[in-house]
Amino acid sequence: GIPCGAALDRRNRRLYVSNRHDSRVLSVNLETGERAIISGATEDGATTVGEGPPLTGPCGISLTPEEGGLYVANGDLFRIDVVTGDRAPMSVRDTGLGVSSSTGLGLTGTCGLSLDATAGFAYTCDWMLGRYELATGNRRMLSRGMSPP
């Protein structure tokens, strides 16, 4: 697989890595280098770690150290429990979870994810910049056409 994004957990000396092609999130121990699948498809691809909707093509990844929440974007926005691997959808474009105030705000190739947990927002980007309310999943396009002006 090919790693796509990384989120550092300084307190626990771990790096969480999203693997877009293998549809999983790994945890890497920064002291030993030991890796473990924490959510998504297993090595054989026949089973998954954690409960919840499939984690297809995760890329954007961010951690909120205060609450231990790991957020992953793959066109939708999920919160992952780092202990169980369970995936909870926060905003899903196809099922309408979270309301879009912008037509067509469903990020299909999300490459970036940044959290402002204090303000309660997640920001994602692919061909546009989107803002998601963490409490409701409501989403809004902030800027379209993320190529240079």
Side-chain angles (χ1 to χ4, degrees), residues 107 110 112-116 119 121-125 129-132 142:
L107 301 173
T110 306
L113 173 62
S114 186
L115 295 176
D116 182 349
F121 293 112
Y123 297 90
T124 58
C125 64
L129 177 65
R131 182 178 76 187
Y132 294 75
L142 297 178

Side-chain angles (χ1 to χ4, degrees), residues 46-57:
T47 58
T48 60
V49 175
E51 298 291 323
L55 190 61
T56 306

Side-chain angles (χ1 to χ4, degrees), residues 80-96:
I80 295 177
D81 183 308
V82 297
V83 175
T84 65
D86 291 350
R87 297 168 298 283
M90 303 297 292
S91 190
V92 181
R93 63 197 154 156
D94 293 336
T95 63

Side-chain angles (χ1 to χ4, degrees), residues 6-146:
L8 178 64
D9 181 349
R10 285 186 179 94
R11 183 180 312 141
N12 296 307
R13 304 291 303 144
R14 295 204 161 278
L15 186 68
Y16 295 100
V17 179
S18 60
N19 189 316
R20 176 176 237 150
H21 294 285
D22 291 335
S23 296
R24 65 178 71 129
V25 174
L26 304 171
S27 170
V28 181
N29 182 312
L30 296 175
E31 303 300 325
T32 66
E34 180 182 347
R35 296 177 304 150
I37 298 169
I38 67 155
S39 192
T42 57
E43 293 289 338
D44 64 9
T47 58
T48 60
V49 175
E51 298 291 323
L55 190 61
T56 306
C59 194
I61 186 168
S62 191
L63 180 71
T64 59
E66 309 81 36
E67 63 173 272
L70 184 65
Y71 290 83
V72 176
N74 68 339
D76 300 317
L77 183 65
F78 292 91
R79 185 177 190 283
I80 295 177
D81 183 308
V82 297
V83 175
T84 65
D86 291 350
R87 297 168 298 283
M90 303 297 292
S91 190
V92 181
R93 63 197 154 156
D94 293 336
T95 63
L97 178 62
V99 176
S100 178
S101 63
S102 307
T103 303
L105 182 56
L107 301 173
T108 56
T110 306
C111 293
L113 173 62
S114 186
L115 295 176
D116 182 349
T118 303
F121 293 112
Y123 297 90
T124 58
C125 64
D126 59 1
W127 61 276
M128 64 181 153
L129 177 65
R131 182 178 76 187
Y132 294 75
E133 293 178 31
L134 295 177
T136 65
N138 292 345
R139 54 200 179 277
R140 179 175 161 237
M141 180 175 38
L142 297 178
S143 183
R144 183 183 303 262
M146 295 306 296

